[in-house]
Amino acid sequence: MPVRLALLALLRHPARTLLAILGVAVSAALLLDMVMLATGMRENFRDFLLLRGYQLRVAPRGTLPFDSEATLDSARALVRTVRAVPGVRAVSPVLGAQSQALMGGDSVVTGFVLGLEPDVQGDYELVRGADLVVPDAAAIANTDAVGTLVANAAWLARTRRAPGDTVRLAVGYDPQLRTVLGERRFVVAGEARFHYVATAQPALALPLAVLQAMGGAERRDRVSLLMVKAADGADADAIVQAIQRAAPRTSAISLAGATAQVEQRLAYFKQLALVLGSISLAVGVLLVTTLVTISVNERQGEIAVLRAIGIARASVVMQVFLEGLAIAAVGSLLGLGLGLVTGEWLEGILRDFPGMPPTFRFFVFQPRDAGFSLVLLTLAGVVSGLFPAFRAASLPIATTLRREAVA
Amino acid sequence: MTRRIVALLAGAMLAGGTRVQAQDAGATARDQARDTSVPVTTSATRTPLAPGRVRDVAAPAVVAPPPVRFGIDSLRPSPAALRTIALDERMRRDLGVDVGDTVRVSATPGDAAGERVVVSALLARRADPSEIARAEYRARLHLDQLQRLVGYGDRVDRIAVEAGTGDARERVLRAVNDVAFGFRAHRSEEIAVRTGATFQVVNRFHRAIGGITIVASAIFLLCILLLKVDERRRDVAALRLMGVSRRTIVRSVVLEAAMVALVGSLAGVAFGWVVAQLVNWHFRGVHRTPLAFAIVTPTTATFACLLSIVLGIGAGWLAARRLVGRPPLTLLGR
């Protein structure tokens, strides 16, 4: 009976009910988006770092990976030290630099170059062609030897090269001598997708030893960071502490540490999500409360009659309460679908962030988020119905009937 | 090498035949130079250049060097021979360092070869959104000092150049780029646009969120005004029974709805202003920045009021048309 009466009350004013449901739907959509924004970034960043299973990063002390131009010296010894730490399964040294592809005349294409050890690298996946070939020591020392490189689509497009083509590369300028530094010839072995580099940024990878050799004394035996893979079941925090003890000039960053640091940098979005999520929830509650309260005010006579013919107070309260809940429930379900659409739209806007890797997402849908939003909205529906239900229950029957009759 | 490039730039400007005046190379460089109230970033390279023609060639320079460490060596006043450093004002609160103190700076922690310097100034945080996400302390050292400290050699990341405006600046730009090797001159605006790309994206994101909230609030407003007008059905019925024309009733209802919308939106603007103050107070405290996070501008307030009035008139008209279309006795419930 209360359910039927609640539905009839809502259907009596279809335009009003529809608008209320729409209002709740938009609020619910915004709430879902903000919950996705607040929680999705953390989860996404975690997956993002774990793309190739490397849980730890070791960078120059006090820095995040590639946060500055700082590098670690004595890299070979450092790699040996870190490999010797109990629980470490693999170590991937990485050196980052700028490279210039010499296109003839004054034309150059600048790209971000990574020096890697191909057998342990976790920075790219091959899309087509072949992987890097690590030359022997003699070839590394020989500046006339032709090396191999893999590059992303942006670099290949800018240099108009394809796998199999050759290119001359340098890693700096000497303005005093008006010459480039570390110039060598390379064959493009393959095309790769770099996980941590923006899609539009030209990027390429060379064997680590080759890039170090091209950089001369400045880059000899240096790396920008180490990526560390822990053995199954190993305690990442214990490994972090062991690395810090073994190599005090480094900062070992665990997944949790990196996530916390990135969260600090992206705190703005989290705070924005919190503020907007709260506002959308408050707007939803206000809308439903106002509507149901006005609806109760309009039906005071009916409610008084129901009470006068013996309908229990609890039944009347339940009827009014269900009206609010029905609007909130239908609006929320509609809003969840709408939220996914608007979330994708907002993701498209934030994807244009300069330097954002293609695999990183701000809005990540997780069933848990949808469930959390639904719980919040259901609670909002419950809260919305409380005040009008209380008003309906506390109506003085005789006074209301007389007033309505006179009116 | 830096000096050679600077001399090259100066030569290029002179070859361009222009009077070179204040014009810098980028927002970041400009702000760094302005921040430095002590002779930190500009003293190394300005003097040897053609006096009278090149008024200032500033080299705020090493922008992203390896991190420099600070150790509080002593809090006693130091000998005048020590060089100076400008530190982030937050370090005063967090670390107790103040002007006149001596600190030790080094490229690596615990480096005995670090240099002792005197804190000569404290740097205030700027109202710069890019600083919000970064909690690092900022410091300004003399260029040659920083180059030596971090083993950067005679290198800089960028050189800010004062040049003329209009054609004169373009001639300088061309002249510099004609002789440049391994570097390139850019207009300040180009660099500002490039470095501002992040904020353009954030701006678009804000606009999108604003669009969604406007839709939500418009629906809310429509709902409330429809209800408000609907509440007047008995009054409308009485007026109709008294012989008042439908047109007059519609106009009066629309006018009332517009007034409600206007008063409501004015109250909303006042409420929004109060919320903006609270938001700014909270986030300025959290991020320790003078940046205004929320601003109620006249444009925003006008837009909100206009939108509200338009929606109010629309909702009032719709509701009034519905009311006057029904027989008065039905409106009275008979």
Side-chain angles (χ1 to χ4, degrees):
Chain A
M1 170 95 162
V3 176
R4 191 154 178 266
L5 284 175
L7 281 176
L8 286 173
L10 289 174
L11 292 174
R12 191 188 292 173
H13 299 285
R16 185 191 296 179
T17 307
L18 188 68
L19 271 178
I21 287 172
L22 272 178
V24 172
V26 178
S27 297
L30 195 57
L31 179 69
L32 176 68
D33 288 344
M34 293 304 115
V35 172
M36 280 163 65
L37 181 65
T39 60
M41 269 191 306
R42 184 179 53 223
E43 296 299 324
N44 185 242
F45 186 68
R46 195 184 149 79
D47 295 344
F48 176 66
L49 286 184
L50 277 174
L51 271 174
R52 299 298 286 259
Y54 285 92
Q55 302 99 324
L56 309 175
R57 305 290 190 275
V58 178
R61 191 164 175 79
T63 67
L64 287 174
F66 291 120
D67 207 24
S68 73
E69 290 181 12
T71 51
L72 292 159
D73 58 12
S74 309
R76 276 193 295 269
L78 181 64
V79 169
R80 276 198 302 273
T81 304
V82 175
R83 273 189 187 136
V85 170
V88 169
R89 199 170 82 197
V91 178
S92 171
V94 182
L95 175 64
Q98 291 293 319
S99 69
Q100 291 78 34
L102 310 174
M103 308 301 294
D106 287 342
S107 175
V108 295
V109 173
T110 303
F112 178 58
V113 60
L114 287 170
L116 304 161
E117 290 183 355
D119 52 335
V120 287
Q121 67 82 18
D123 279 87
Y124 67 81
E125 60 182 353
L126 213 56
V127 176
R128 62 181 169 133
D131 206 349
L132 296 173
V133 178
V134 181
D136 56 27
I140 290 169
N142 180 7
T143 54
D144 293 328
V146 179
T148 55
L149 65 83
V150 293
N152 68 358
W155 188 89
L156 293 174
R158 295 277 295 276
T159 56
R160 293 189 295 278
R161 293 292 193 276
D165 293 345
T166 57
V167 65
R168 287 185 302 131
L169 270 189
V171 288
Y173 295 99
D174 185 341
Q176 208 153 7
L177 300 174
R178 294 185 72 80
T179 180
V180 291
L181 299 172
E183 182 183 344
R184 291 191 183 204
R185 268 162 56 84
F186 289 89
V187 174
V188 180
E191 180 184 334
R193 184 183 302 118
F194 288 80
H195 304 306
Y196 307 114
V197 177
T199 315
Q201 182 178 4
L204 64 153
L206 305 176
L208 174 64
V210 174
L211 183 60
Q212 286 172 332
M214 287 170 78
E218 259 181 42
R219 295 207 178 102
R220 187 169 298 143
D221 201 19
R222 282 187 171 270
V223 290
S224 302
L225 81 141
L226 304 180
M227 291 165 68
V228 179
K229 196 180 284 187
D232 293 337
D235 181 359
D237 289 334
I239 295 175
V240 165
Q241 285 168 12
I243 293 174
Q244 294 280 195
R245 277 195 303 274
R249 64 204 166 89
T250 65
S251 280
I253 307 154
S254 67
L255 210 56
T259 308
Q261 298 228 34
V262 167
E263 273 202 337
Q264 190 188 21
R265 294 211 171 170
L266 298 175
Y268 169 75
F269 286 104
K270 204 163 180 176
Q271 288 157 355
L272 183 79
L274 184 70
V275 170
L276 286 178
S278 309
I279 289 175
S280 57
L281 204 59
V283 167
V285 170
L286 262 178
L287 184 60
V288 177
T289 307
T290 312
L291 268 167
V292 180
T293 306
I294 289 176
S295 173
V296 166
N297 285 344
E298 283 177 349
R299 289 182 292 134
Q300 282 186 0
E302 283 174 32
I303 292 168
V305 169
L306 285 173
R307 295 274 292 114
I309 61 172
I311 302 292
R313 190 190 293 255
S315 181
V316 172
V317 167
M318 184 56 74
Q319 181 202 326
V320 176
F321 187 70
L322 285 174
E323 279 181 42
L325 203 58
I327 293 173
V330 177
S332 303
L333 287 174
L334 203 64
L336 291 185
L338 191 63
L340 291 178
V341 176
T342 50
E344 200 53 41
W345 175 49
L346 295 172
E347 178 71 42
I349 293 172
L350 291 181
R351 204 173 287 147
D352 289 342
F353 256 124
M356 194 57 70
T359 40
F360 190 85
R361 286 180 66 85
F362 284 85
F363 294 84
V364 183
F365 176 76
Q366 295 170 104
R368 196 184 59 194
D369 290 343
F372 180 64
S373 302
L374 265 179
V375 167
L376 279 180
L377 289 162
T378 308
L379 280 175
V382 169
V383 171
S384 312
L386 285 178
F387 176 69
F390 170 76
R391 272 183 70 90
S394 55
L395 279 177
I397 300 171
T399 315
T400 310
L401 282 175
R402 190 171 64 245
R403 193 176 62 231
E404 288 292 313
V406 170
Chain B
M1 189 186 295
T2 310
R3 284 178 179 77
R4 187 174 168 80
I5 292 174
V6 171
L8 195 66
L9 288 176
M13 290 175 207
L14 295 173
T18 60
R19 179 174 173 76
V20 182
Q21 292 185 355
Q23 180 62 50
D24 49 21
T28 312
R30 179 196 61 217
D31 291 341
Q32 283 182 344
R34 185 185 298 154
D35 263 356
T36 312
S37 54
V38 290
V40 169
T41 60
T42 59
S43 59
T45 54
R46 60 192 299 172
T47 44
L49 303 172
R53 301 299 294 270
V54 179
R55 245 179 37 195
D56 188 12
V57 178
V62 187
V63 171
V68 174
R69 310 282 159 186
F70 298 90
I72 304 172
D73 229 25
S74 107
L75 296 180
R76 284 176 283 111
S78 308
L82 292 182
R83 296 189 80 176
T84 51
I85 188 172
L87 293 182
D88 199 312
E89 65 171 351
R90 289 173 300 163
M91 294 174 82
R92 175 163 59 179
R93 209 180 317 160
D94 297 349
L95 305 173
V97 182
D98 212 336
V99 173
D101 290 345
T102 305
V103 296
R104 184 166 28 84
V105 291
S106 65
T108 50
D111 186 356
E115 186 177 342
R116 293 175 75 222
V117 289
V118 180
V119 180
S120 62
L122 294 173
L123 300 168
R125 287 205 100 187
R126 293 168 296 175
D128 182 353
S130 66
E131 287 189 359
I132 298 304
R134 303 177 75 90
E136 295 99 331
Y137 297 118
R138 293 182 302 124
R140 296 286 175 266
L141 285 84
H142 298 270
L143 175 62
D144 60 318
Q145 189 183 13
L146 183 58
Q147 286 171 329
R148 192 178 61 252
L149 198 69
V150 298
Y152 220 63
D154 188 17
R155 289 190 295 152
V156 293
D157 286 330
R158 66 170 75 99
I159 294 170
V161 178
E162 287 188 14
T165 52
D167 288 345
R169 187 183 64 165
E170 294 307 308
R171 279 199 296 276
V172 169
L173 196 73
R174 276 196 302 275
V176 170
N177 284 333
D178 283 348
V179 294
F181 184 81
F183 61 91
R184 188 159 187 80
H186 301 273
R187 296 175 194 86
S188 299
E189 308 91 82
E190 291 169 359
I191 294 171
V193 166
R194 226 175 282 176
T195 52
T198 303
F199 302 109
Q200 285 168 10
V201 173
V202 171
N203 199 27
R204 287 217 307 276
F205 178 68
H206 283 171
R207 281 176 184 276
I209 293 282
I212 296 174
T213 48
I214 284 174
V215 170
S217 50
I219 292 172
F220 190 88
L221 194 65
L222 274 174
C223 257
I224 299 296
L225 284 170
L226 279 177
L227 288 169
K228 178 81 191 147
V229 174
D230 217 32
E231 266 188 337
R232 299 285 309 277
R233 65 184 187 281
R234 283 180 176 163
D235 302 343
V236 169
L239 288 170
R240 288 290 316 283
L241 288 172
M242 285 161 62
V244 177
S245 74
R246 289 178 176 178
R247 195 175 168 185
T248 306
I249 289 172
V250 169
R251 277 160 62 182
S252 69
V253 169
V254 166
L255 190 65
E256 184 187 331
M259 291 298 289
V260 169
L262 178 64
V263 173
S265 53
L266 287 176
V269 168
F271 182 65
W273 185 83
V274 171
V275 170
Q277 301 310 306
L278 286 173
V279 165
N280 286 334
W281 171 77
H282 172 71
F283 285 112
R284 279 173 175 164
V286 168
H287 295 289
R288 296 198 278 183
T289 172
L291 189 71
F293 288 80
I295 304 171
V296 179
T297 62
T299 313
T300 316
T302 310
F303 175 73
C305 289
L306 281 177
L307 182 72
S308 175
I309 290 168
V310 168
L311 284 171
I313 289 172
W317 185 81
L318 274 175
R321 292 290 301 170
R322 265 180 57 198
L323 280 182
V324 297
R326 289 159 72 185
L329 289 177
T330 309
L331 291 176
L332 285 172
R334 315 239 168 208

